[in-house]
Amino acid sequence: MSPPSTGYLGAGSTIRTRIALVYGGVFLVLGALLLLVVNLLVRAGTDGQKEAIVARADEVAVVEAYRIGDDVGRAAHQQMLMWSCMSLLVIACGAVVVGWWTAGRVLRPVHEMTARARRLSERDLGGRLAVRGPDDELKELGDTIDALLGRLETAFDSQRRFIANASHELRTPLATQRAALQVGLDEDCEVRQVLLDTNRHSERLLDGLLLLARGERGLAEREDVPFAEVVREEYEDAAVAEHGVVRGSRVLLRQLVRNLVANAVAHNVPGGFVDVRVAGGVLTVVNTGPVVPPDDVEGLFEPFRRGEGRDRTGPGAGLGLSIVRSVATAHGGTATAAARGADEGGGLVVTVTLPVTATRP
């Protein structure tokens, strides 16, 4: 949701406020110089008139005329200085208001361009700013952004086609290879099981990479998804404190929960536990396991990073938490983790926070 473009002093109005203050400040300085010059000229003119008046007085009234002239001149100067300062302040405030209004008029096309650009995403790159008006700097900026969006649209379309083609082209030979191994080799052959395990590992790695790429591309379509229901589908023992509705992809959210639970189980220890809780759009998964140094926790969200003691020939592909964070980000959420100490049994506390549209107990 884009903020209001004009009319209030808040976020997004920094440049407008700065222009208005500069406009008022410049007016104040120039007005003060103008009034200073006027006051000096008036003072000089008043002194000249006083000398002329005194010259016309007789000798007896000269002293009294000087005194009266000084009093009148002093009062006139004070009144003029006071009213000049008050007028200057009032007009300076008016200049700030005029500057604010003028800046708003000048920056209105920029606010409109910002609002349009904010509505565009990697799923709506077909839209353009289409700035109209004179061929000035703002139109040049809009045309430049439109050209950039055109290049991004081409790049994203190419990426989508590549992922679709890679998914088909890579799955087919793996499936063919698995069928050949199952048919062509006897069950008692020692190499058969090793090759089948390698084949399954390659399939899981391929599925993980495609899912990770899909999550990083964002969501093509969104629907209202009861988050607690999705969690319960993947883990029946999950504790639900509050139901929340998340706008997103049910398939990707199920994969997020599945990866979190699978990761917690795979890295557990004998006699340990896995605790899954959901409240609104917050999913928390706690498990026991090896003690993870706090400095290494963030690195677990990177692709192909495994916990201590996990090798590259194991059942995992090293993409579990990477996919979790990618899916959470695609839904406008976050995924964080914290290490549990040795006195707590080790393991991790992974928290996924997603924006919800509605909640109920």
Side-chain angles (χ1 to χ4, degrees):
M1 181 177 179
S2 60
S5 59
T6 58
Y8 80 105
L9 207 166
S13 300
T14 304
I15 296 179
R16 185 181 182 184
T17 304
R18 192 179 304 167
I19 292 175
L21 293 178
V22 169
Y23 189 86
V26 171
F27 180 88
L28 185 64
V29 172
L30 295 179
L33 292 175
L34 175 63
L35 292 180
L36 177 61
V37 173
V38 170
N39 275 271
L40 292 176
L41 293 176
V42 169
R43 180 184 294 272
T46 302
D47 291 341
Q49 292 293 330
K50 182 181 67 174
E51 294 293 339
I53 294 173
V54 171
R56 291 196 298 268
D58 55 22
E59 296 181 359
V60 178
V62 170
V63 177
E64 186 65 19
Y66 268 113
R67 186 181 63 81
I68 295 174
D70 290 338
D71 293 341
V72 172
R74 189 180 303 107
H77 294 159
Q78 291 176 352
Q79 287 293 315
M80 185 172 183
L81 182 61
M82 180 186 67
W83 288 109
S84 297
C85 292
M86 292 180 62
S87 300
L88 179 63
L89 292 177
V90 171
I91 297 177
C93 292
V96 172
V97 174
V98 172
W100 174 264
W101 179 82
T102 304
R105 296 281 296 181
V106 173
L107 295 176
R108 181 176 299 173
V110 178
H111 287 291
E112 293 175 354
M113 291 168 58
T114 302
R116 292 178 187 174
R118 187 178 288 112
R119 288 193 295 267
L120 298 176
S121 66
E122 69 275 7
R123 291 298 176 183
D124 189 26
L125 292 177
R128 296 292 182 268
L129 298 182
V131 178
R132 298 179 180 178
D135 191 11
D136 55 10
E137 290 82 357
L138 291 179
K139 190 174 187 306
E140 183 181 0
L141 175 61
D143 293 342
T144 302
I145 295 177
D146 285 343
L148 175 61
L149 290 175
R151 292 193 295 271
L152 288 176
E153 183 181 18
T154 302
F156 274 102
D157 287 342
S158 176
Q159 184 191 49
R160 295 188 189 105
R161 288 194 299 270
F162 171 78
I163 291 175
N165 294 335
S167 176
H168 174 74
E169 295 295 334
L170 294 177
R171 286 178 187 273
T172 301
L174 287 175
T176 304
Q177 184 186 62
R178 183 176 66 253
L181 291 173
Q182 292 173 339
V183 175
L185 296 178
D186 296 332
E187 293 186 1
D188 56 353
C189 179
E190 297 181 358
V191 181
R192 180 178 187 270
Q193 190 58 43
V194 175
L195 294 176
L196 286 175
D197 289 343
T198 303
N199 180 271
R200 293 190 185 96
H201 179 80
S202 298
E203 289 182 338
R204 284 193 297 268
L205 178 60
L206 173 61
D207 291 338
L209 288 172
L210 293 176
L211 185 61
L212 182 62
R214 181 182 176 186
E216 291 181 345
R217 291 201 323 266
L219 304 180
E221 299 178 357
R222 293 178 182 265
E223 60 177 323
D224 289 334
V225 181
F227 191 43
E229 180 181 310
V230 172
V231 175
R232 280 279 177 83
E233 290 175 356
E234 297 298 326
Y235 193 79
E236 296 181 355
D237 296 332
V240 179
E242 187 180 54
H243 290 264
V245 177
V246 176
R247 289 284 297 173
S249 168
R250 191 184 190 96
V251 174
L252 288 180
L253 290 175
R254 289 189 62 176
Q255 188 66 45
L256 179 148
V257 179
R258 185 180 306 136
N259 278 30
L260 269 182
V261 174
N263 187 78
V265 172
H267 292 79
N268 217 317
V269 293
F273 70 88
V274 174
D275 182 59
V276 179
R277 298 180 180 274
V278 59
V282 180
L283 171 64
T284 305
V285 177
V286 183
N287 73 305
T288 51
V291 177
V292 180
D295 295 339
D296 295 344
V297 172
E298 187 62 24
L300 297 177
F301 287 97
E302 298 178 6
F304 306 110
R305 287 290 296 272
R306 296 170 172 82
E308 184 179 357
R310 306 288 293 181
D311 56 40
R312 296 185 178 274
T313 60
L319 295 172
L321 291 182
S322 300
I323 293 175
V324 167
R325 173 166 285 182
S326 176
V327 174
T329 302
H331 286 78
T334 59
T336 59
R340 288 161 48 90
D343 55 337
E344 298 175 301
L348 292 174
V349 179
V350 182
T351 304
V352 175
T353 305
L354 302 176
V356 296
T357 58
T359 58
R360 61 181 178 83

